[in-house]
Amino acid sequence: NDAAREAGIIADVTVDVDPGGHRSGITPGEPALTLAQLVDRLNNLRLRGILCYDGGSQHVSGFAARRTQAIERLAPAAETFSRMQQSGLNVEIFSGGGTGTYNIDHATPGFTDIQSGSYVFMDASYLGIGGQDNDEVYGDFKPSLTILTTVLNAQYEGRATTDAGAKSCTINRPWSIVVGETGMSYTSGSDEYGTIRYENPSRVYQAGDRLELIISHCDPVVNLYDKMYAIRNNRVEAVWRIAGRGKNQ
């Protein structure tokens, strides 16, 4: 409130409510209601509602299990939102959810905003959680973010080394997926090098060949690069500089 007053503004505020993961947010129920009432009394703050991002439910494997957990964990926030409304507070926003639960969260009473973000890129982590119509693959959104990696060493049978290791792909699991290949596994545990192991690839790879990878987890990968190439129908239509590059400090 003091910072908003010094800046000469009225700052919109949503109360962050903990869905049970204890990562951030205030406890639902009375603690959240008390905080919202405090915000409502301050002259330079404007209470808008609550947010409750349940990151722990986004990658639960199996649609039924994911649905059960997401609905259960949003229920206390929904009850809190209702109490705020009943107490006369001006709460218009109930925000939460994400890419893994976008088709689940709307069933929560009062829900107004789904915080889907990763759906734009998708990744191996999301592809493996299973969807409503496919227990094996979450295919609601197609992967659009990939990395090109070059084979550096292919002299050993059944394996090859590439130039995309942990510094390019991170070491998040599951590992990246090689586009267009089956029977092939990719690991990026080494800092500079990636390792491919295979049994029956569609072709024999040689040093200098390039492979396309669906990355493991899109969130921590994008800021590792200076540029992103926007491609449609195998043609580069735009080159976007990544504003978040090197912005960890």
Side-chain angles (χ1 to χ4, degrees), residues 80-133:
T80 301
F81 186 69
S82 177
R83 287 183 62 183
M84 290 180 181
Q85 290 177 317
Q86 293 170 11
S87 70
L89 292 172
N90 178 35
V91 283
E92 308 167 23
I93 298 171
F94 181 179
S95 177
T99 296
T101 59
Y102 83 97
N103 53 353
I104 296 171
D105 303 311
H106 65 277
T108 299
F111 213 77
T112 64
D113 176 54
I114 297 175
Q115 298 178 18
S116 297
S118 297
Y119 79 96
V120 173
F121 291 141
M122 291 299 286
D123 52 36
S125 297
Y126 268 120
L127 290 175
I129 65 174
Q132 188 170 8
D133 301 319

Side-chain angles (χ1 to χ4, degrees), residues 9-228:
I9 63 171
I10 304 297
D12 289 339
V13 173
T14 55
V15 174
D16 185 7
V17 177
D18 180 12
H22 307 322
R23 180 169 66 177
S24 70
I26 194 168
T27 303
E30 193 64 31
L33 178 60
T34 299
L35 178 58
Q37 290 170 335
L38 172 61
V39 171
D40 190 56
R41 291 196 300 268
L42 296 173
N43 293 331
N44 287 86
L45 300 182
R46 178 168 47 229
L47 180 66
R48 297 296 308 281
I50 70 171
L51 67 86
C52 184
Y53 175 67
D54 182 16
S57 293
Q58 300 308 308
H59 291 88
V60 172
S61 295
F63 181 80
R66 191 161 64 252
R67 183 179 186 277
T68 297
Q69 177 171 311
I71 290 176
E72 287 180 352
R73 292 180 64 160
L74 277 176
E79 191 271 338
T80 301
F81 186 69
S82 177
R83 287 183 62 183
M84 290 180 181
Q85 290 177 317
Q86 293 170 11
S87 70
L89 292 172
N90 178 35
V91 283
E92 308 167 23
I93 298 171
F94 181 179
S95 177
T99 296
T101 59
Y102 83 97
N103 53 353
I104 296 171
D105 303 311
H106 65 277
T108 299
F111 213 77
T112 64
D113 176 54
I114 297 175
Q115 298 178 18
S116 297
S118 297
Y119 79 96
V120 173
F121 291 141
M122 291 299 286
D123 52 36
S125 297
Y126 268 120
L127 290 175
I129 65 174
Q132 188 170 8
D133 301 319
N134 186 332
D135 290 336
E136 299 297 324
V137 178
Y138 186 40
D140 293 40
F141 309 103
K142 294 182 179 180
S144 65
L145 182 67
T146 60
I147 295 171
L148 283 182
T149 183
T150 302
V151 175
L152 302 178
N153 185 354
Q155 62 180 311
Y156 300 107
E157 184 177 355
R159 64 176 291 162
T161 302
T162 76
D163 62 355
K167 294 180 180 179
S168 301
C169 305
T170 77
I171 55 174
N172 285 6
R173 305 292 181 88
W175 297 113
S176 299
I177 299 170
V178 181
V179 175
E181 286 287 8
T182 58
M184 177 179 283
S185 66
Y186 190 93
T187 59
S188 56
S190 174
D191 291 343
E192 284 84 16
Y193 302 113
T195 300
I196 298 173
R197 290 182 173 83
Y198 51 84
E199 294 181 359
N200 297 301
S202 63
R203 51 171 285 191
V204 176
Y205 289 95
Q206 303 294 333
D209 288 342
R210 288 186 173 181
L211 300 170
E212 187 177 7
L213 304 177
I214 297 173
I215 49 89
S216 170
H217 187 190
C218 61
D219 296 16
V221 167
V222 173
N223 68 301
L224 299 178
Y225 292 84
D226 296 320
K227 301 174 183 177
M228 181 180 296

